[in-house]
Amino acid sequence: MSGTPALEAFRSFFLDTYEARTPEIERTDRIPDDLLKQVAELGAYRLTVPVEYGGFGLEMLDYLPYLEVAAMSSGSGRLLVHHTNGLWRPIAWFGNDEQRQLIPRIAAGAVVPAFALTEKTGGTGRDLHSRAVRDGASWKLSGEKHLITFADRGDWFILVVATDDRRAKDSLTAFLIPRGTPGFEIDTSQSMMGCHGTGHAFLRYHDMEVPDGQRLGEVGQGLEVALSFLDYSRVSLSNSMVGIAQRALNEAVAFAQRRVTFGQPIASRQAVQGHIAEMHADVNAGRLLVRHAAQRFQKGEPYTAEASTAKLFCLNMVGRVTDRALRVHGGYGYTTDAPIERIYRDARSFWFEEGTAEIQQLVVARAVLRAG
Ligand SMILES: Cc1cc2nc3c(=O)[nH]c(=O)nc-3n(C[C@H](O)[C@H](O)[C@H](O)COP(=O)(O)OP(=O)(O)OC[C@H]3O[C@@H](n4cnc5c(N)ncnc54)[C@H](O)[C@@H]3O)c2cc1C
């Protein structure tokens, strides 16, 4: 649709402008405000948002190349794009009229959403320790969350908590909470191995009063809210892994061509060519699995198993590719001067984001066993 940035402009922004600022982001663990403004002006937050909410309404197959390019830049660059282009969905699907008014502001980059499910003290899902107790026309929420992406800047938080003591699947409920709510503490002291600048934080709330109108979806629909965008997100994350793996391969190729040992560029050595060929095969296999899942989604076919298959493969693929790329760089790759050092750390976050490899194995195995 009109106004959609050209892929080339997107590529040059993320691989030149954004990339040039990554040392600063690594050093300060914060994305500079002027860079965030440029990301918003580029239209990066609008890509998948429906046209009626002020977005470009890109279909999944059209969106994925943009995300792949952002993922080639850095963990923070790709998380900016992935995060916002995913989080409008539960608000659009479960929100009331007032809550949905946030979506155009999210698309413009004027409002930062955050999604808070994971807890340090309680397992994810039905084991959550956070509680909401009804108090007339309001609720009192108590508990804590951790690892919450962009909580440092978050304006509105989708908070998933338990609404009764049964700890059963249907006891979870989601709320949409504005920053600044009395009793809502955002503690940004959590620091991460990689993906610097993405403002992960602990959230704490004790007897925090939340009007019933801030509920997102029905009472007991919290797990549905949390899972509603998960399949789409698994494809999107897999695609991000393809982007970062492609970048690792590109770095390895460039290094292998310029590094001379025993009078020859290491790219001429069969052992190094083996690494390059394996990386190339891995990245392309991942890209095809992602495309296969996206095609099924776009045709309206079931794609849960395909999304988890892509994610399971890509999780292992991005580990293998970044390992090989680091090895090709020799000791230089282990220094913070080498982009591969950051890429290697950034890539390790995928093991955990939005569900681990073990959980993908469960989904895939279940589908395979069902099919006999
Ligand atoms: C960079 C990053 C960003 C994140 N952003 C957010 C965010 O914005 N919002 C948010 O809510 N969370 C976020 N998370 C948290 C992330 O979603 C969780 O870390 C992830 O879902 C795993 O949950 P957990 O850490 O509680 O691990 P656990 O559930 O404690 O799992 C620990 C280990 O046990 C395995 N395991 C657990 N249950 C089973 C089972 N039933 N069968 C087999 N194996 C099992 C897991 O696979 C894992 O290996 C983020 C994490 C990272 C690293």
Side-chain angles (χ1 to χ4, degrees):
M1 82 151 260
S2 72
T4 311
L7 185 58
E8 267 320 301
F10 210 80
R11 183 191 304 277
S12 106
F13 174 80
F14 274 103
L15 295 188
D16 300 331
T17 310
Y18 199 97
E19 179 73 22
R21 306 292 292 276
T22 51
E24 183 184 347
I25 297 170
E26 285 302 298
R27 207 176 51 250
T28 60
D29 201 5
R30 194 166 166 84
I31 308 170
D33 290 342
D34 68 295
L35 194 59
L36 282 174
K37 193 162 168 266
Q38 291 178 63
V39 174
E41 284 165 1
L42 186 68
Y45 303 136
R46 298 183 191 278
L47 296 170
T48 61
V49 175
V51 175
E52 65 265 33
Y53 292 114
F56 300 132
L58 292 185
E59 294 282 2
M60 192 191 262
L61 283 165
D62 296 325
Y63 163 62
L64 294 180
Y66 287 90
L67 180 61
E68 186 177 330
V69 167
M72 288 175 77
S73 73
S74 76
S76 65
R78 66 101 185 156
L79 263 165
L80 283 173
V81 177
H82 167 79
H83 183 83
T84 315
N85 282 286
L87 274 190
W88 62 267
R89 291 167 208 277
I91 303 174
W93 296 337
F94 297 93
N96 56 36
D97 288 348
E98 199 179 326
Q99 290 168 330
R100 285 201 299 271
Q101 284 175 21
L102 282 175
I103 302 174
R105 300 176 62 209
I106 291 171
V111 161
V112 176
F115 176 79
L117 174 69
T118 310
E119 299 187 352
K120 197 169 177 180
T121 47
T124 306
R126 60 187 71 178
D127 314 314
L128 289 185
H129 285 172
S130 283
R131 286 279 172 275
V133 178
R134 223 187 232 285
D135 185 19
S138 299
W139 297 81
K140 290 272 175 64
L141 270 58
S142 301
E144 58 183 44
K145 303 282 180 188
H146 78 147
L147 296 168
I148 308 310
T149 308
F150 294 126
D152 62 338
R153 298 173 185 273
D155 297 298
W156 284 86
F157 293 77
I158 299 173
L159 205 59
V160 184
V161 300
T163 27
D164 66 24
D165 282 332
R166 286 179 296 125
R167 302 201 182 177
K169 187 173 167 177
D170 63 2
S171 69
L172 303 186
T173 300
F175 293 86
L176 198 50
I177 314 280
R179 188 186 200 90
T181 299
F184 190 34
E185 185 200 345
I186 300 167
D187 167 359
T188 56
S189 64
Q190 192 157 45
S191 63
M192 310 288 269
M193 174 193 282
C195 295
H196 290 161
T198 49
H200 289 89
F202 299 97
L203 309 180
R204 296 189 193 94
Y205 33 96
H206 184 68
D207 278 347
M208 173 172 71
E209 189 171 337
V210 176
D212 190 48
Q214 283 177 214
R215 189 165 28 81
L216 185 65
E218 300 300 323
V219 175
Q221 224 181 0
L223 200 66
E224 214 179 302
V225 171
L227 299 180
S228 62
F229 59 110
L230 205 60
D231 284 344
Y232 190 101
S233 215
R234 283 176 177 161
V235 181
S236 169
L237 272 181
S238 306
N239 187 67
S240 300
M241 292 186 242
V242 170
I244 199 168
Q246 181 67 60
R247 171 73 191 277
L249 169 58
N250 295 354
E251 291 292 329
V253 167
F255 184 84
Q257 285 171 332
R258 66 175 188 268
R259 173 69 171 160
V260 173
T261 67
F262 304 96
Q264 295 280 335
I266 59 170
S268 67
R269 311 289 180 189
Q270 210 171 0
V272 173
Q273 289 176 3
H275 284 310
I276 289 170
E278 295 288 349
M279 285 191 271
H280 175 77
D282 247 352
V283 173
N284 282 294
R287 193 178 281 115
L288 288 174
L289 279 174
V290 169
R291 209 166 285 168
H292 175 60
Q295 275 162 350
R296 286 186 66 91
F297 167 80
Q298 245 172 262
K299 282 192 223 153
E301 294 170 356
Y303 74 115
T304 299
E306 287 75 10
S308 280
T309 304
K311 188 166 174 195
L312 181 58
F313 180 84
C314 288
L315 281 168
N316 289 302
M317 175 280 285
V318 78
R320 284 192 298 267
V321 171
T322 49
D323 268 348
R324 285 185 190 277
L326 182 63
R327 286 168 67 184
V328 168
H329 278 77
Y332 168 67
Y334 199 66
T335 72
T336 52
D337 289 345
I340 192 64
E341 183 269 345
R342 172 179 52 77
I343 292 165
Y344 184 89
R345 282 185 289 105
D346 282 354
R348 265 59 203 166
S349 74
F350 289 112
W351 284 119
F352 313 109
E353 282 176 51
E354 302 177 33
T356 60
E358 289 76 8
I359 299 302
Q360 311 315 309
Q361 286 172 343
L362 292 180
V363 177
V364 174
R366 224 178 274 144
V368 172
L369 290 168
R370 209 171 25 238

